[in-house]
Amino acid sequence: MKWTAEAESAIKKVPFFVRKRVRARVEKEAADRGKPMVSLADVKATQRRYLNNMESEVRGYQLDTCFGPNGCPRRAVQSDTLLPRIQALLEKEDLLGFLKKTVPGTLRFHHEFRISIADCPNGCSQPQIKDIGILGACVPRVTEEACSRCEACVDACRETAVALAEEDDSGPVIDRERCINCGRCIPVCPTETLATGQQGYRIQLGGKLGRHPRLGMELPGIFSEDDVLRVISGCLAFYKQRSRHGERFAELLSAADFDAYSDRGRFPESDGADPT
Ligand code: SF4
Ligand code: SF4
Ligand code: SF4
């Protein structure tokens, strides 16, 4: 649906963590009224209703993705099947029921558990500042196919992680310390010397903004879809055990808790599942 410039400008002022939800609601309500284009008045009307009924709008969790599923060419993985699986898990966990039992006073959006998926390391959906951030990863693999030394991979890599040895005609060398597994060097290779290796997800835990902001702490490794779901289950178990009065997962997760999970695959006092 098209938006007027004033409407676009107004929606940008809505707090980012509910902007997507409010935007979708504005479009739906405008369409229900038969409007061909969203106007400033439509945004204001929906926003007013939304904020006046905030408690009834809280659903217990926020799950969002980047624009990858809409056709972004930078995708390192296709997370299309992961998203509904996470959504089903969050529904099964009844986070809204949990918040209603534990939060004193009015439920607000900031109580919600936040998960974000980005289909590549660019992280356009800001997974680094969510309770759980999930980033697509595609590890380049050097094959036996002869390299033509065209340097397309060198030019494609923004991390200067791929180089060609100068003294001989061998293939590319990837600096795994610099490589962020974005996969961009793979499709540009005309000889298939570079091919797709492991594909999956990086996972970051405990990111948040607010009074004490922190970027999510990254678990070592690249995880499959099943692994991601197991890690989320473990995190939800930890959260439900520790959150007594509406504290967010990211507030509860200390560096020591993270280290314990990272080393042993379980939180100190929970039955958190093994992520591997
Ligand atoms: S995170 Fe990557 S795949 Fe997703 S929208 Fe951004 S650039 Fe595209
Ligand atoms: S995967 Fe990305 S970061 Fe790694 S070498 Fe290829 S282009 Fe560079
Ligand atoms: S690995 Fe592929 S893209 Fe890189 S220089 Fe060799 S042929 Fe070109």
Side-chain angles (χ1 to χ4, degrees):
M1 188 176 232
K2 288 192 173 154
W3 288 54
T4 64
E6 293 89 353
E8 283 286 5
S9 160
I11 199 74
K12 283 185 186 141
K13 293 183 186 143
V14 172
F16 74 92
F17 55 90
V18 287
R19 194 177 301 145
K20 231 184 215 176
R21 229 189 282 181
V22 175
R23 188 181 179 94
R25 181 64 64 86
V26 170
E27 289 198 344
K28 181 178 181 313
E29 292 187 358
D32 288 348
R33 289 195 296 274
K35 303 283 283 292
M37 180 181 272
V38 174
S39 68
L40 179 59
D42 294 323
V43 177
K44 285 191 168 167
T46 301
Q47 202 175 347
R48 210 165 27 244
R49 265 195 300 281
Y50 204 83
L51 294 177
N52 286 343
N53 296 304
M54 189 188 291
E55 187 152 27
S56 65
E57 299 286 348
V58 171
R59 69 174 187 219
Y61 64 86
Q62 295 171 23
L63 172 62
D64 55 31
T65 65
C66 68
F67 297 109
N70 293 328
C72 176
R74 300 272 183 247
R75 299 178 92 185
V77 291
Q78 316 278 318
S79 66
D80 307 58
T81 52
L82 179 62
L83 181 71
R85 292 182 73 190
I86 295 177
Q87 177 132 26
L89 173 62
L90 292 170
E91 289 291 335
K92 185 167 143 260
E93 290 283 343
D94 187 21
L95 291 171
L96 182 56
F98 175 74
L99 288 176
K100 282 180 176 169
K101 275 192 278 177
T102 53
V103 172
T106 308
L107 274 189
R108 299 191 186 281
F109 294 124
H110 68 247
H111 293 120
E112 294 183 318
F113 197 99
R114 294 174 200 168
I115 299 181
S116 184
I117 305 172
D119 283 358
C120 87
N122 282 2
C124 297
S125 54
Q126 302 182 315
Q128 305 89 343
I129 53 166
K130 304 296 165 62
D131 292 305
I132 301 178
I134 300 161
L135 296 107
C138 177
V139 181
R141 178 171 62 87
V142 181
T143 71
E144 298 294 317
E145 298 297 329
C147 167
S148 68
R149 298 181 69 83
C150 68
E151 299 198 3
C153 54
V154 177
D155 293 341
C157 181
R158 288 167 55 185
E159 309 302 320
T160 57
V162 55
L164 300 177
E166 283 183 12
E167 64 276 12
D168 59 31
D169 62 355
S170 59
V173 178
I174 295 173
D175 180 343
R176 299 290 172 181
E177 292 294 313
R178 299 182 77 98
C179 175
I180 58 168
N181 300 319
C182 68
R184 287 177 68 170
C185 53
I186 299 167
V188 300
C189 178
T191 56
E192 299 185 351
T193 310
L194 287 172
T196 299
Q198 186 183 9
Q199 266 185 306
Y201 299 92
R202 293 159 52 203
I203 301 177
Q204 298 178 346
L205 304 181
K208 61 193 175 93
L209 289 178
R211 291 160 68 97
H212 302 283
R214 177 179 70 189
L215 293 180
M217 297 170 275
E218 183 153 334
L219 293 171
I222 293 175
F223 299 85
S224 68
E225 272 197 24
D226 287 348
D227 294 336
V228 170
L229 290 163
R230 277 198 287 274
V231 172
I232 294 173
S233 291
C235 291
L236 291 174
F238 169 89
Y239 165 66
K240 285 181 168 177
Q241 279 186 323
R242 289 267 189 103
S243 185
R244 294 281 168 251
H245 307 290
E247 301 91 334
R248 290 260 313 278
F249 173 76
E251 292 164 351
L252 297 167
L253 185 75
S254 68
D257 294 326
F258 173 81
D259 288 344
Y261 191 70
S262 187
D263 292 345
R264 299 195 293 274
R266 60 185 62 243
F267 290 110
E269 77 276 47
S270 88
D271 294 322
D274 187 338
T276 58

